[in-house]
Amino acid sequence: MMDEQRAAERQAATRDAEPAIRLEGVHKWYGSFHVLKDINLMIRRGERVVVCGPSGSGKSTMIRCINALEAHQKGRIIVGTTQLTEDVRTIERIRREVGMVFQQFNLFPHLTVLDNLILAPTWVRRLPKREAIARAMDLLERVHIPEQAHKYPGQLSGGQQQRVAIARALCMKPEIMLFDEPTSALDPEMIKEVLDVMVELAEAGMTMICVTHEMGFARTVADTMVFMDGGAIVEMAPPSQFFSAPKSERTQKFLSQILKH
Amino acid sequence: MSDERRLQETPQQIFAREEEPVDGVYPETVQPPRRRFAGALSWARENLFSSVGNALLTVFGLYLLWRILPPLADWTLLQSVWSTDDPAVCKAAEGACWALITQKYRFILFGLYPFEEQWRPALATALFIAAGAITAVPAFWRRALIGLWAGVAVICAILMWGGVFGLPFVENAKWGGLPLTLILAVVGIAAAFPLSIVLALGRRSELPAIRAVCTGFIELIRGVPLISVLFMASVMFPLFLPEGVTIDKLLRALAGIALFTAAYLAEAVRGGLQSIPRGQYEAAEALGLTYWQKTGLIILPQALKISIPPIVNQFISMFKDTSLVIIIGLFDLLTTAKAALSDPPWRPFYIESYLFAALIYWMFSFFMSRYSLYLERRLETGYRR
């Protein structure tokens, strides 16, 4: 009941918001291998989308297309009001507005945590260094590791590194956050500390697309669940409906596999 | 504790159990590690005479040392002549004729540079080494170093060439010895290093034209010996210049050495670039960094750190390869060491002269080698666990 009520409230809140990301008929091939098949997806401002599906279903590829880490070959991707093209300027503009968190953290190992955070704001946004440091320390506070600011990433645990990675992306003040399996490379004990940070972020109203297998997390924060298989979106529904009454047989099978434990 | 009682213990009891001494001796797990080398004798037994084969090798090694060391000490120290201006004294002695060095060191170090003016290359070399020493200390790593080096370069140029401030002009054909070797090596490295980075990046470029040019250059230069590059720079290159235009011989040699070294360094740098995980590029790109920001701030700092060993290897190798300029008639350190023997009575003492030159080469190379090890440790940020 709680879930449904919350979902209804959330839906009312985001229903009339402007679209943040639109994917229209997006196709992608690796050589002759068809990785993304006619992806159509609209995400409104403040909406939280969780994407799940078996490995190789194209879910990571899809969100990597949104900030042009992968190029798509057909269809349109529109972030905010900007349509993604091959133009480097356009790509860089979109990347400034879209934060990304990777499975392998991808922190810069030769820089301290603080320098990891302030690098892009100072170089890309031309923020004065003092302001960038203030913002970075604020964010480290939010991800609960201000005391690690002057350490190097190699000295932190996986969970701490991933929280730094989230803070690094947030330091650019992005409109949208993409999470590519953020907890898949973590020890079980550390998953919670990262998910907690992500829940807090969701509650603060961030537009998020999250590729993850953490179904508990999905239930808590998702406004929309997307299930992908074989490069196509098979099912898209609010979590209450998605988990209790999935329409497609493929979704049912997937859920029964991962929820068994 | 009996074995039976042990078997019946619960896990809690096992964890709580304190090891009891059995007959006053603690079980092996809690004993401190056995001291392996107690005293020189047992050290020798364990390391030098642990088996019949080892013992034989040890005896043979000692025999060799006994045959080599005393004569060597005799020759270098005990029977050697340290100072005389008469070669006959050296001839009569059994040992080394270090007097050759004391007689000729100024020629070996400074070559044909006018004798009265040799304080100038000496001062330039000292300044240069001092600047190098300052640069080597991380505490001084700041932007001002660029200014320091610019200043040192100008002062060294004034000292070497002269022609101003009442210093007589000395054309660079007269330069020689250690300053020339250092100029060739350092200017060569300073020019080759940035070029090599450009080449390495170019070879990995997504633009086919750039990739082809860089790959072609690297493969062409790596395919020929340094001697032929120098020869081309010295003999063939002027043939292509319009009449009346001449480019200084030293400059041509420098260009040859720099291009040659750059081709090799580029491959060392490329190795470093290849070892940077894709995720680093993606993270930099996802933050909206431009190509040059990504390359300069994220990729190169890591790639160059990884490439320190092969890069320094190349520096050391090229430092010694500068001695090949002898074939185009430049008087570098090795050439002056050889030329010092052109005085007939001193001619028999070539070993001493070459040893002296070798010692100088070795000191610089050894410093580079040790410094690169220090640098690697210094730049380690604990991500290779």
Side-chain angles (χ1 to χ4, degrees):
Chain A
M1 274 314 280
M2 280 295 287
D3 269 7
E4 270 166 46
Q5 199 183 339
R6 188 187 58 83
E9 276 168 26
R10 290 279 314 155
Q11 241 173 357
T14 56
R15 186 165 27 199
D16 304 321
E18 302 161 35
I21 300 172
R22 272 175 294 167
L23 285 83
E24 295 171 0
V26 172
H27 288 262
K28 177 175 175 60
W29 288 265
Y30 284 126
S32 62
F33 180 58
H34 202 170
V35 226
L36 292 180
K37 297 171 187 160
D38 192 28
I39 302 289
N40 290 285
L41 187 66
M42 184 178 72
I43 293 141
R44 295 187 181 278
R45 278 192 194 287
E47 192 175 351
R48 282 104 63 154
V49 175
V50 168
V51 184
C52 61
S55 56
S57 59
K59 47 195 195 307
S60 284
T61 311
M62 180 183 77
I63 69 166
R64 288 160 59 88
C65 281
I66 294 172
N67 64 354
L69 285 184
E70 307 273 358
H72 61 287
Q73 278 95 41
K74 210 176 147 200
R76 298 204 303 164
I77 296 178
I78 300 155
V79 178
T81 52
T82 316
Q83 180 174 345
L84 192 56
T85 60
E86 284 181 4
D87 176 53
V88 180
R89 289 282 224 3
T90 313
I91 291 177
E92 279 165 7
R93 177 145 30 99
I94 286 177
R95 283 173 175 166
R96 285 199 290 269
E97 305 309 325
V98 179
M100 185 158 200
V101 175
F102 299 87
Q103 183 177 353
Q104 300 294 343
F105 331 134
N106 294 349
L107 294 178
F108 306 129
H110 62 301
L111 300 176
T112 62
V113 165
L114 187 61
D115 287 338
N116 263 277
L117 263 66
I118 65 171
L119 181 102
T122 50
W123 284 91
V124 179
R125 291 238 193 258
R126 304 274 166 205
L127 200 66
K129 200 168 175 189
R130 276 175 46 151
E131 267 177 61
I133 290 176
R135 187 191 283 185
M137 289 311 295
D138 199 41
L139 282 164
L140 287 175
E141 202 88 48
R142 267 177 72 185
V143 299
H144 317 300
I145 37 175
E147 72 283 0
Q148 312 285 1
H150 298 287
K151 288 195 184 166
Y152 285 96
Q155 297 166 306
L156 306 186
S157 74
Q160 290 171 329
Q161 288 194 47
Q162 194 60 300
R163 285 184 283 154
V164 171
I166 294 173
R168 178 177 69 178
L170 291 176
C171 217
M172 284 290 281
K173 294 234 164 113
E175 300 279 332
I176 299 154
M177 284 286 284
L178 307 175
F179 292 86
D180 188 2
E181 304 204 26
T183 56
S184 300
L186 294 176
D187 288 342
E189 284 180 303
M190 294 167 184
I191 290 176
K192 186 174 175 298
E193 64 189 50
V194 171
L195 290 181
D196 285 349
V197 166
M198 289 168 64
V199 171
E200 284 166 32
L201 190 59
E203 278 162 2
M206 175 64 77
T207 312
M208 295 167 58
I209 305 183
C210 206
V211 173
T212 183
H213 295 125
E214 297 295 333
M215 289 303 137
F217 168 79
R219 261 190 241 261
T220 324
V221 307
D223 298 313
T224 309
M225 291 297 301
V226 171
F227 174 69
M228 290 182 71
D229 188 30
I233 293 180
V234 174
E235 183 146 1
M236 191 163 20
S240 50
Q241 190 184 329
F242 181 84
F243 286 109
S244 53
K247 286 200 190 86
S248 125
E249 213 171 288
R250 184 67 189 87
T251 315
Q252 288 165 15
K253 199 177 150 214
F254 177 77
L255 287 175
S256 73
Q257 290 293 336
I258 65 165
L259 296 178
K260 210 180 267 174
H261 303 291
Chain B
M1 197 187 290
S2 75
D3 283 353
E4 240 169 80
R5 260 179 61 205
R6 248 173 219 245
L7 287 173
Q8 286 164 2
E9 273 180 316
T10 65
Q12 283 76 15
Q13 283 169 324
I14 291 173
F15 280 111
R17 188 178 76 212
E18 281 184 27
E19 292 289 354
E20 308 159 46
V22 178
D23 299 333
V25 176
Y26 280 94
E28 196 163 2
T29 48
V30 290
Q31 278 183 24
R34 211 150 45 94
R35 274 194 58 195
R36 295 192 55 200
F37 311 129
L41 255 181
S42 75
W43 178 87
R45 198 167 54 222
E46 281 197 44
N47 290 284
L48 301 176
F49 298 98
S50 56
S51 68
V52 178
N54 265 357
L56 283 174
L57 276 177
T58 302
V59 170
F60 182 64
L62 287 174
Y63 169 75
L64 279 184
L65 287 179
W66 175 65
R67 288 301 301 252
I68 292 168
L69 284 185
L72 193 65
D74 263 359
W75 186 79
T76 54
L77 300 171
L78 302 176
Q79 314 259 352
S80 58
V81 180
W82 287 87
S83 67
T84 172
D85 52 8
D86 183 6
V89 178
C90 269
K91 220 155 196 161
E94 293 274 310
C97 179
W98 300 124
L100 171 86
I101 310 299
T102 46
Q103 286 289 310
K104 305 278 187 189
Y105 76 95
R106 288 190 53 174
F107 181 78
I108 296 178
L109 287 178
F110 304 117
L112 298 172
Y113 207 92
F115 195 80
E116 287 73 29
E117 301 292 329
Q118 284 182 359
W119 63 272
R120 284 158 53 183
L123 183 58
T125 308
L127 267 178
F128 172 80
I129 292 175
I134 290 173
T135 310
V137 181
F140 294 120
W141 289 351
R142 50 192 71 160
R143 233 162 259 267
L145 274 184
I146 300 171
L148 172 78
W149 277 99
V152 167
V154 170
I155 294 173
C156 285
I158 291 173
L159 281 171
M160 293 299 289
W161 263 301
V164 282
F165 306 125
L167 297 171
F169 176 72
V170 179
E171 55 172 339
N172 60 18
K174 291 230 164 102
W175 298 3
L178 183 61
L180 183 72
T181 293
L182 289 177
I183 288 171
L184 286 170
V186 172
V187 179
I189 285 173
F193 192 44
L195 180 61
S196 75
I197 293 174
V198 172
L199 285 171
L201 291 172
R203 195 168 183 175
R204 289 166 57 85
S205 169
E206 285 168 13
L207 306 170
I210 292 180
R211 200 167 55 227
V213 168
C214 292
T215 309
F217 175 83
I218 291 170
E219 295 303 338
L220 179 72
I221 298 287
R222 283 205 307 168
V224 293
L226 177 56
I227 288 207
S228 60
V229 173
L230 287 173
F231 204 67
M232 272 193 279
S234 159
V235 182
M236 281 173 62
F237 182 63
L239 299 179
F240 299 112
L241 288 177
E243 206 151 331
V245 178
T246 52
I247 295 179
D248 185 70
K249 184 156 79 172
L250 178 60
L251 193 62
R252 276 180 276 141
L254 269 172
I257 288 177
L259 292 179
F260 187 81
T261 308
Y264 278 86
L265 275 178
E267 289 299 279
V269 174
R270 191 166 70 96
L273 288 173
Q274 266 170 348
S275 65
I276 305 301
R278 235 176 91 91
Q280 292 289 309
Y281 291 84
E282 289 180 350
E285 283 163 14
L287 286 167
L289 267 60
T290 63
Y291 173 82
W292 290 108
Q293 288 171 342
K294 173 182 72 175
T295 307
L297 298 169
I298 306 300
I299 305 304
L300 276 180
Q302 296 183 60
L304 292 181
K305 202 213 107 189
I306 292 169
S307 310
I308 286 176
I311 286 174
V312 173
N313 194 27
Q314 202 54 50
F315 283 176
I316 290 175
S317 158
M318 88 83 95
F319 176 63
K320 292 176 295 178
D321 281 351
T322 56
S323 56
L324 290 172
V325 294
I326 184 174
I327 66 135
I328 56 171
L330 291 178
F331 263 62
D332 77 305
L333 181 61
L334 191 63
T335 317
T336 52
K338 185 175 147 76
L341 302 163
S342 56
D343 192 359
W346 293 100
R347 198 164 283 165
F349 309 110
Y350 57 91
I351 295 180
E352 289 83 344
S353 187
Y354 284 132
L355 274 179
F356 180 62
L359 180 70
I360 295 175
Y361 278 109
W362 180 81
M363 285 194 305
F364 281 97
S365 302
F366 187 67
F367 168 76
M368 282 194 265
S369 164
R370 301 308 299 182
Y371 186 68
S372 90
L373 288 178
Y374 163 77
L375 208 54
E376 273 176 65
R377 274 199 310 276
R378 159 85 199 187
L379 297 177
E380 177 69 57
T381 55
Y383 53 90
R384 244 155 240 284
R385 288 193 298 181

